[in-house]
Amino acid sequence: MTLIGVEGERSELGRSLLERKQMSADWLPAFAAVSRSAFLPDVIWPFDMGTGTTVAVDRREEPDLWSSYANADVPIVTQWDDGAGEGSGSVPTSSASMPSVVFRMLSALEVEPTHRVLEIGTGTGWNAALLAHRLGVANVVSIEIDPKVADAARDRLAAQQLLGPVLTRDGTDGDEKGAPYDRIIATAGVRQIPPAWLRDAPGGMILAPWGTHFGNGDALVRLRVSEDGGCAEGRFLGPVEFMKVRGQRSPFAGHDVYVPDGVAGADRSTTTVTEEQLLGGDRFAAQRFAVGLLVRNCYQQVADRRGGARPVWFYGLTDRSWACVMFQDGRMEAAVWQSGPRRLWDEVATALAWWRAAGEPGYERLGLTVTAHGQRAWLDRPAASWDV
């Protein structure tokens, strides 16, 4: 299928998104009119799905390869280390998300022609441009914390005649002056839904990548906000992974801070929990997310497999408690070490047992309730909830 007005690799991308039901048909006109490539810098760092690494591509030196990545369903890093340097760095801090994720989120936003939308995290400006094309530039306000990123996005939006308000400030503060909004969409991961977002969207909807510090992964949550803005509630829609808003990045201090002298002085035991039961088939396995909801203030780190062995570490984020479980091929039991006031492995094993007893629920059975006083997760119904 060739999309009208769209040629080559963009047409193939659009066809693929439609066939995989990642893009709903009502977003097709915006996809056709607003090219992702118009919002990318000359130097990009696409994530190569085959090798699992980022690669630098300069449009001026490799225009065909650059175009191929721009029109592929891959995430593209556009900034490292909050812009501290010009080239690649240690931590990616701004990006163009995978088109499949972009349109999956836009479809989940359920916008109507008269809706006003507040976007948190302008990034390249492509997401704001898609919204502006559909709703009109006056109905889309975007917030970007990084001045250079915001300026570049404004230039690209203006070049496409889709420039609306782009505010340079912390998006977790919302936009009280411009409120009320019908929809708030975050394109950066959060660990706490800011109360300001409830304030700014009374009776509306918040769509955000949300997760715990247990891992870097997120889950897309769609929250319906009460008419008075005092509460927001909804279910998770499925796994995603985003760069985090600057004020909510992981506080993990590093392995050596917790385990400077190895495991020799820790309490030792064994477990019959298997690697598959704990980790599932991939990093987005539902049990990983569920365990993170139950084991608060904990960070999990899955090490590489070496010599038939894989250690999985757990670190307390409010003290220096830690635990390690060592899975080894061919052994029925795994060794466990624990240290500190919290028995982190015991907490993880209990949470995993709860998940299995509940029928191994997927993301769609889990939900979140948010008020100005905190957040509570729940399974199946809000009445059965716990603090997260």
Side-chain angles (χ1 to χ4, degrees):
M1 177 178 64
T2 300
L3 306 183
I4 297 174
V6 182
E7 298 179 351
E9 292 166 326
R10 281 192 65 215
S11 177
E12 289 301 307
L13 175 61
R15 177 192 56 76
S16 175
L17 294 175
L18 288 169
E19 289 182 351
R20 290 183 288 143
K21 301 186 185 304
Q22 300 287 1
M23 178 171 64
S24 54
D26 54 339
W27 280 100
L28 184 55
F31 172 85
V34 185
S35 171
R36 184 195 198 197
S37 61
F39 290 85
L40 295 176
D42 285 335
V43 180
I44 58 176
W45 292 268
F47 183 79
D48 189 299
M49 309 300 273
T51 63
T53 59
T54 55
V55 292
V57 181
D58 191 324
R59 173 164 44 187
R60 295 158 298 190
E61 298 174 359
E62 301 176 286
D64 291 341
L65 182 61
W66 187 97
S67 179
S68 178
Y69 276 120
N71 293 307
D73 191 23
V74 297
I76 295 175
V77 175
T78 54
Q79 184 199 66
W80 296 86
D81 301 331
D82 294 328
E86 294 298 323
S88 63
S90 302
V91 180
T93 50
S94 191
S95 70
S97 299
M98 295 175 66
S100 57
V101 173
V102 169
F103 284 101
R104 175 181 160 200
M105 291 179 66
L106 290 174
S107 297
L109 197 59
E110 298 179 349
V111 295
E112 300 292 341
T114 60
H115 279 169
R116 298 184 67 244
V117 176
L118 177 64
E119 179 193 44
I120 310 299
T122 312
T124 65
W126 186 46
N127 198 72
L130 293 166
L131 283 163
H133 180 273
R134 179 159 181 180
L135 302 176
V137 295
N139 287 328
V140 180
V141 176
S142 188
I143 300 179
E144 171 59 51
I145 194 171
D146 190 296
K148 290 185 178 180
V149 173
D151 286 344
R154 289 188 190 98
D155 290 343
R156 294 172 186 136
L157 286 161
Q160 300 299 310
Q161 299 183 339
L162 291 169
L163 177 60
V166 177
L167 311 177
T168 306
R169 60 172 182 248
D170 190 339
T172 60
D173 293 334
D175 180 32
E176 185 174 14
K177 184 178 179 180
Y181 290 93
D182 300 288
R183 300 286 187 266
I184 294 179
I185 180 172
T187 60
V190 294
R191 295 297 173 253
Q192 299 283 328
I193 298 291
W197 295 0
L198 277 66
R199 176 202 67 202
D200 291 348
M205 179 196 294
I206 297 170
L207 186 73
W210 183 96
T212 67
H213 287 305
F214 195 72
N216 196 57
D218 309 298
L220 192 62
V221 68
R222 182 165 56 192
L223 305 171
R224 306 285 179 173
V225 186
S226 62
E227 293 295 331
D228 64 359
C231 176
E233 193 166 81
R235 293 183 181 273
F236 293 101
L237 305 181
V240 290
E241 186 170 350
F242 277 76
M243 298 170 188
K244 310 304 177 270
V245 297
R246 292 190 182 183
Q248 296 187 21
R249 292 172 179 169
S250 174
F252 176 56
H255 176 84
D256 291 344
V257 172
Y258 288 81
V259 195
D261 303 314
V263 301
D267 298 330
R268 192 179 186 282
S269 60
T270 61
T271 181
T272 57
V273 172
T274 67
E275 181 179 342
E276 173 65 23
Q277 289 170 343
L278 177 65
L279 301 180
D282 59 59
R283 60 196 177 95
F284 290 122
Q287 65 261 47
R288 295 202 196 188
F289 184 73
V291 169
L293 291 176
L294 288 161
V295 183
R296 301 182 66 190
N297 298 312
C298 178
Y299 174 67
Q300 174 187 267
Q301 190 170 66
V302 181
D304 293 335
R305 177 182 298 279
R306 293 182 179 178
R310 183 196 297 279
V312 181
W313 295 86
F314 306 90
Y315 309 90
L317 297 177
T318 57
D319 57 27
R320 289 293 179 258
S321 297
W322 62 266
C324 176
V325 56
M326 178 70 76
F327 298 106
Q328 290 186 293
D329 293 346
R331 296 196 178 182
M332 300 296 293
E333 294 185 335
V336 174
W337 295 268
Q338 300 187 85
S339 179
R342 291 179 67 180
R343 304 283 87 178
L344 286 175
W345 171 251
D346 294 347
E347 292 183 36
V348 169
T350 299
L352 187 60
W354 170 88
W355 179 78
R356 296 174 68 186
E360 301 185 357
Y363 289 85
E364 71 284 349
R365 287 181 58 191
L366 297 162
L368 188 69
T369 300
V370 182
T371 69
H373 306 292
Q375 304 178 125
R376 293 181 68 82
W378 39 270
L379 173 67
D380 294 331
R381 62 189 191 281
S385 63
W386 62 92
D387 289 337
V388 289

